[in-house]
Amino acid sequence: MSMIAAFYGGKSILITGATGFLGKVLMEKLFRTSPDLKVIYILVRPKAGQTLQQRVFQILNSKLFEKVKEVCPNVHEKIRAIYADLSQNDFAISKEDMQELLSCTNVIFHCAATVRFDDTLRHAVQLNVTATRQLLLMASQMPKLEAFIHISTAYSNCNLKHIDEVIYPCPVEPKKIIDSLEWLDDAIIEEIAPKLIRDWPNIYTYTKALGEMVVQQESRNLNIAIIRPSIVGATWQEPFPGWVDNVNGPNGLIIAAGKGFLRALKATPKAVADLIPVDTVVNLMLAVGWYTAVHRPKSTLVYHSTSGNLNPCNWHKMGVQVLATFEKIPFERAFRRPYANFTSNNFTSQYWNAVSHRAPAIIYDCYLRLTGRKPRMTKLMNQILRTVSMLEYFINRSWEWSTYNTEMLMSELSPEDQRVFNFDVRQLNWLEYIENYVLGVKKYLLKEDMAGIPEAKQHLKRLRNIHYLFNTALFLIVWRLLIARSQMARNVWFFIVSFCYKFLSYFRASSTLKV
Ligand SMILES: CCCCCCCCCCCCCCCCCCCCCCCCCCCCCC(=O)SCCNC(=O)CCNC(=O)[C@H](O)C(C)(C)COP(=O)(O)OP(=O)(O)OC[C@H]1O[C@@H](n2cnc3c(N)ncnc32)[C@H](O)[C@@H]1OP(=O)(O)O
Ligand SMILES: NC(=O)C1=CN([C@@H]2O[C@H](COP(=O)(O)OP(=O)(O)OC[C@H]3O[C@@H](n4cnc5c(N)ncnc54)[C@H](OP(=O)(O)O)[C@@H]3O)[C@@H](O)[C@H]2O)C=CC1
């Protein structure tokens, strides 16, 4: 019997960010392994014209939840969506809902955040810092609360090279920042933002670091733990391999590469690609929830959910496997054949951007214009290059994350819990994982049918022929222009032609002699 699964039985669990990538997988696993849990409260806002109920309905009816519905047929009754906007005072939760949350919650998983790298400082602080403080305040008024699990990121201290499982202080107190944002206007905030974030690469990682400090300062006598995942990727094993549902992090790049838009990347091939499957992170979260509630560690423990320390894979290996998978299972209607260069040199990277990205986009847009259609490729390419430039920081560096607490927890689990809540990334086979990942992107993100693979392969063959034809024509045009203008080029040309002619004559003569 799994002790962790039993622990969540009969519990009321509050999840923020349940509609996000991590949150959905967390709910799925909770319902599947502890179907006798009492209720999962989720704080949700209406979005994209959908009501709360419609959003929950959509999640529960997705492929991700197919197994859950077998194990826990009354899952609809066990999920209680509460209207909340985490960027508002008191989260804009009604009095009655707040009362219920305060009196019933046993465990909190705080996943909600803005993960955009370019968010405004005001919004990112509201969500990643102030909302965390507000939730901690609520938690301190919950008499039945046993554990508060805060999800941060392994990159919250990416200004350091070696990162321990401790909370590092930020140069400016979070409280000072929260207070000053109340009276500063937006223009001034954006002006001071670069000075505040110093050597953090973006507002996201900086505000996540502030969020951790808030957790430390406002922990009161709560049982709190912090989990820091690195780059969260598709599911490894559960509920099935390769599930993924948004374009963040590597996902968007895999699409861009598979569709042939992205053919060069400024990356350091030997740098560690610290990906961690989302189900591994969720298993660790549930184990940490149990451990924090049952063992009540004296201080706030930080757990790294990273792979580089235990089972490293670098960007070169990852890139090669991604490309190999595109060969086997290509994406449909690719713009160009998937191919890529990793370069760590600025100049070469600019060159590849011009030749491999911008030029084909401009040529294609000319073609669209000539055929009376609206040009769109240059805009799309600019968008992709902007995204890539935001991610470049993370694919050109390596970090060392210590994992003492995570390993300690692994050793505390019973063999059954180690199996059901496996977060031992040493067992991960990267090649298999990446193949399933790319397949998952194709199936669950692009919604492409496997039956379309032969046609996709045909399309790639056509693209290869167009590529050869285009290159040959380009070569001949350039050469013809050179010959017209330069004596030197003409001499070289005559030399090559006469050499070929002599070679052919010799070859013909020797074969005639043999006969
Ligand atoms: C010797 C070597 C030889 C090598 C040979 C082999 C070479 C092989 C090479 C293979 C080529 C490459 C293959 C790929 C291999 C894998 C590469 C993986 C690289 C992975 C890099 C990952 C780095 C992640 C770092 C994460 C660190 C922190 C982790 C976290 O804690 S949190 C989660 C991270 N958060 C995010 O990822 C959010 C990032 N996104 C943003 O901040 C914003 O979206 C934005 C990028 C700033 C863009 O903002 P905009 O307002 O301009 O646009 P908007 O958001 O509205 O989106 C516009 C459209 O763009 C789409 N889009 C969004 N994100 C991405 C994305 N990541 N990739 C692609 N496209 C994206 C979005 O969907 C919109 O589309 P539309 O709706 O159609 O308009
Ligand atoms: N994905 C990754 O690679 C990594 C993620 N993390 C951390 O994991 C956590 C979850 O990330 P992930 O699931 O990927 O992110 P997503 O962007 O997929 O999910 C974010 C969640 O936060 C919710 N949210 C955002 N703003 C509000 C708001 N104002 N009110 C209510 N809810 C809000 C979103 O709700 P809605 O659906 O309404 O937008 C969504 O449910 C975050 O704390 C992130 O920092 C850490 C390391 C890596």
Side-chain angles (χ1 to χ4, degrees):
M1 172 68 188
S2 156
M3 283 199 290
I4 298 177
F7 165 76
Y8 289 103
K11 293 271 165 23
S12 300
I13 299 152
L14 168 60
I15 302 179
T16 70
T19 50
F21 180 46
L22 202 59
K24 283 181 210 161
V25 180
L26 173 65
M27 276 201 292
E28 194 279 338
K29 178 85 184 202
L30 264 169
F31 280 127
R32 192 158 40 84
T33 49
S34 305
D36 56 340
L37 61 79
K38 191 167 174 201
V39 63
I40 296 186
Y41 295 113
I42 59 173
L43 302 189
V44 199
R45 52 182 177 171
K47 199 176 175 186
Q50 284 187 310
T51 62
L52 265 55
Q53 283 64 33
Q54 284 167 332
R55 294 194 74 185
V56 174
F57 183 82
Q58 194 178 30
I59 294 173
L60 295 183
N61 284 295
S62 66
K63 174 143 180 67
L64 183 72
F65 277 75
E66 274 175 7
K67 278 193 186 159
V68 164
K69 281 196 259 168
E70 287 166 22
V71 188
C72 180
N74 60 341
V75 57
H76 291 87
E77 294 159 18
K78 292 202 172 217
I79 192 162
R80 173 125 147 66
I82 289 182
Y83 175 92
D85 182 345
L86 270 67
S87 59
Q88 305 286 319
N89 268 349
D90 286 338
F91 299 160
I93 298 178
S94 75
K95 264 194 180 151
E96 300 71 45
D97 287 342
M98 183 63 93
Q99 208 41 56
E100 184 176 345
L101 285 177
L102 294 184
S103 56
C104 301
T105 306
N106 301 116
V107 181
I108 297 179
F109 290 100
H110 178 34
C111 306
T114 167
V115 301
R116 290 184 68 92
F117 292 161
D118 66 339
D119 214 337
T120 60
L121 183 64
R122 182 187 293 286
H123 186 244
V125 168
Q126 263 167 357
L127 220 50
N128 298 350
V129 192
T130 314
T132 302
R133 189 163 80 158
Q134 174 75 37
L135 193 63
L136 285 161
L137 189 70
M138 274 171 67
S140 68
Q141 298 163 45
M142 295 176 173
K144 292 187 185 161
L145 190 73
E146 296 170 52
F148 181 114
I149 311 303
H150 173 75
I151 311 305
S152 186
T153 163
Y155 296 95
S156 56
N157 300 289
C158 59
N159 51 335
L160 306 176
K161 177 123 185 58
H162 178 90
I163 301 157
D164 280 318
E165 288 166 306
V166 295
I167 300 171
Y168 293 92
C170 294
V172 183
E173 281 283 309
K175 194 176 171 321
K176 282 191 185 154
I177 295 180
I178 295 173
D179 291 345
S180 55
L181 292 191
E182 270 174 23
W183 57 270
L184 286 176
D185 76 27
D186 287 348
I188 299 177
I189 293 172
E190 289 320 300
E191 209 167 293
I192 60 168
K195 294 185 184 85
L196 276 176
I197 73 172
R198 296 185 191 201
D199 49 353
W200 273 269
N202 53 44
I203 288 201
Y204 166 67
T205 48
Y206 174 67
T207 52
K208 290 298 278 190
L210 290 176
E212 288 186 8
M213 254 190 104
V214 160
V215 170
Q216 189 178 44
Q217 291 171 346
E218 313 272 330
S219 59
R220 298 179 184 91
N221 54 354
L222 297 167
N223 286 321
I224 305 189
I226 295 178
I227 297 180
R228 290 190 187 139
S230 47
I231 303 170
V232 182
T235 50
W236 166 23
Q237 291 165 317
E238 290 181 82
F240 47 84
W243 183 82
V244 66
D245 86 333
N246 68 29
V247 293
N248 282 344
N251 313 349
L253 293 197
I254 291 173
I255 295 179
K259 293 278 183 183
F261 297 123
L262 185 70
R263 289 168 54 102
L265 208 53
K266 185 164 181 289
T268 305
K270 282 192 183 152
V272 176
D274 210 300
L275 247 68
I276 187 87
V278 60
D279 45 339
T280 309
V281 181
V282 161
N283 286 344
L284 176 66
M285 285 164 71
L286 292 172
V288 169
W290 160 79
Y291 185 80
T292 309
V294 173
H295 292 268
R296 300 173 159 260
K298 286 197 183 71
S299 59
T300 299
L301 293 187
V302 178
Y303 299 84
H304 283 160
S305 187
T306 53
S307 57
N309 187 13
L310 300 170
N311 183 3
C313 176
N314 62 33
W315 290 112
H316 171 75
K317 183 172 170 185
M318 197 153 286
V320 168
Q321 182 62 7
V322 169
L323 284 188
T325 312
F326 291 151
E327 286 283 319
K328 266 207 278 186
I329 20 178
F331 293 172
E332 290 171 13
R333 294 184 300 278
F335 174 56
R336 297 181 68 198
R337 275 180 78 79
Y339 170 79
N341 260 310
F342 275 177
T343 167
S344 41
N345 177 291
N346 254 335
F347 178 76
T348 339
S349 160
Q350 295 295 334
Y351 169 81
W352 283 119
N353 270 348
V355 171
S356 274
H357 298 140
R358 294 195 198 280
I362 293 170
I363 293 170
Y364 188 72
D365 274 351
C366 285
Y367 163 74
L368 288 179
R369 271 207 188 90
L370 287 174
T371 50
R373 283 173 286 174
K374 204 173 156 219
R376 57 191 160 82
M377 198 50 74
T378 313
K379 192 171 165 222
L380 177 65
M381 197 57 85
N382 286 339
Q383 179 67 53
I384 291 173
L385 294 182
R386 179 175 133 75
T387 301
V388 167
S389 72
M390 297 253 172
L391 302 181
E392 262 170 12
Y393 177 91
F394 302 95
I395 41 185
N396 283 286
R397 287 168 178 76
S398 291
W399 288 266
E400 288 159 20
W401 287 280
S402 62
T403 48
Y404 297 114
N405 288 340
T406 306
E407 288 175 70
M408 173 280 293
L409 182 58
M410 222 180 289
S411 66
E412 289 284 320
L413 301 192
S414 66
E416 176 67 356
D417 278 331
Q418 285 180 357
R419 190 185 62 77
V420 181
F421 296 92
N422 180 15
F423 52 88
D424 186 354
V425 78
R426 282 171 292 209
Q427 296 164 21
L428 181 83
N429 175 336
W430 281 110
L431 298 186
E432 197 180 280
Y433 174 67
I434 296 165
E435 184 167 319
N436 284 329
Y437 196 151
V438 174
L439 190 61
V441 167
K442 181 177 169 71
K443 285 207 293 203
Y444 309 118
L445 264 183
L446 295 172
K447 314 254 184 260
E448 289 183 4
D449 198 338
M450 300 303 276
I453 289 180
E455 168 52 27
K457 286 190 174 166
Q458 265 318 106
H459 179 68
L460 289 188
K461 273 193 192 147
R462 281 196 293 273
L463 286 178
R464 190 189 50 198
N465 295 342
I466 293 174
H467 176 78
Y468 288 153
L469 212 69
F470 180 83
N471 280 1
T472 315
L474 192 69
F475 174 77
L476 291 176
I477 291 169
V478 171
W479 192 235
R480 187 69 196 85
L481 288 175
L482 267 177
I483 284 178
R485 278 154 203 266
S486 138
Q487 182 59 43
M488 170 94 151
R490 270 197 296 274
N491 292 346
V492 174
W493 180 240
F494 288 131
F495 173 75
I496 294 173
V497 170
S498 63
F499 179 79
C500 290
Y501 179 75
K502 278 183 191 152
F503 180 77
L504 279 176
S505 315
Y506 169 78
F507 189 70
R508 211 182 300 147
S510 62
S511 55
T512 319
L513 278 179
K514 272 183 202 156
V515 175

